[in-house]
Amino acid sequence: MDNDMMTNDAQGDLLAADALELRAKLFRGLGDPSRLAILDALVSGERNVQEIVGDTGLGQPNVSNHLRCLLDCGLVSRRSEGRFVRYRLADRQVANLIRDADRLLAATGAGIDNCERYTE
């Protein structure tokens, strides 16, 4: 089966499984600044927890908790390397989504910043 056929099948499955709710759940998961900081750190490559802490300025327990969430959601994967665990984006589409969001913000950021309906 070729990739186009698999992509079409996956898209059909998402439509059948209420794609809007699933998409909203994805964006809620991405709606946390700490999780976005971790994903940003992983866009440039694999990191262990201490490297992520250094890149993001977040505390180690906070990073570990958010990594667990990102792992459970399938956005991040991990592999053991000696005593350390290295984390990476589970799919390049995660990095593409972050880059696309940055491009969208470049075009609409002022409106989003001024929007009073979206609050933390």
Side-chain angles (χ1 to χ4, degrees):
M1 184 180 289
D2 65 12
N3 283 343
D4 289 337
M5 182 72 108
M6 289 173 45
T7 300
N8 288 339
D9 288 347
Q11 288 171 342
D13 290 346
L14 284 177
L15 291 174
D18 197 359
L20 289 176
E21 283 299 318
L22 193 55
R23 192 180 305 150
K25 191 172 186 178
L26 169 67
F27 283 111
R28 280 192 302 273
L30 295 174
D32 184 281
S34 295
R35 284 193 288 274
L36 283 175
I38 292 167
L39 292 173
D40 269 345
L42 296 175
V43 164
S44 58
E46 285 187 339
R47 302 272 188 276
N48 64 39
V49 171
Q50 290 307 322
E51 291 168 328
I52 295 168
V53 166
D55 289 345
T56 63
L58 299 169
Q60 186 273 323
N62 194 11
V63 167
S64 294
N65 285 333
H66 285 295
L67 280 169
R68 250 188 313 282
C69 173
L70 292 166
L71 278 163
D72 289 347
C73 293
L75 297 175
V76 168
S77 60
R78 67 181 172 198
R79 69 178 180 84
S80 294
E81 185 179 86
R83 297 181 319 130
F84 296 100
V85 175
R86 301 207 41 96
Y87 295 88
R88 64 186 171 275
L89 298 178
D91 190 292
R92 68 181 169 81
Q93 294 302 323
V94 177
N96 293 342
L97 179 61
I98 291 169
R99 289 185 193 108
D100 287 345
D102 288 342
R103 283 191 284 275
L104 179 60
L105 284 170
T108 64
I112 292 172
D113 191 39
N114 292 329
C115 183
E116 295 179 12
R117 295 181 188 267
Y118 296 154
T119 59
E120 290 187 52

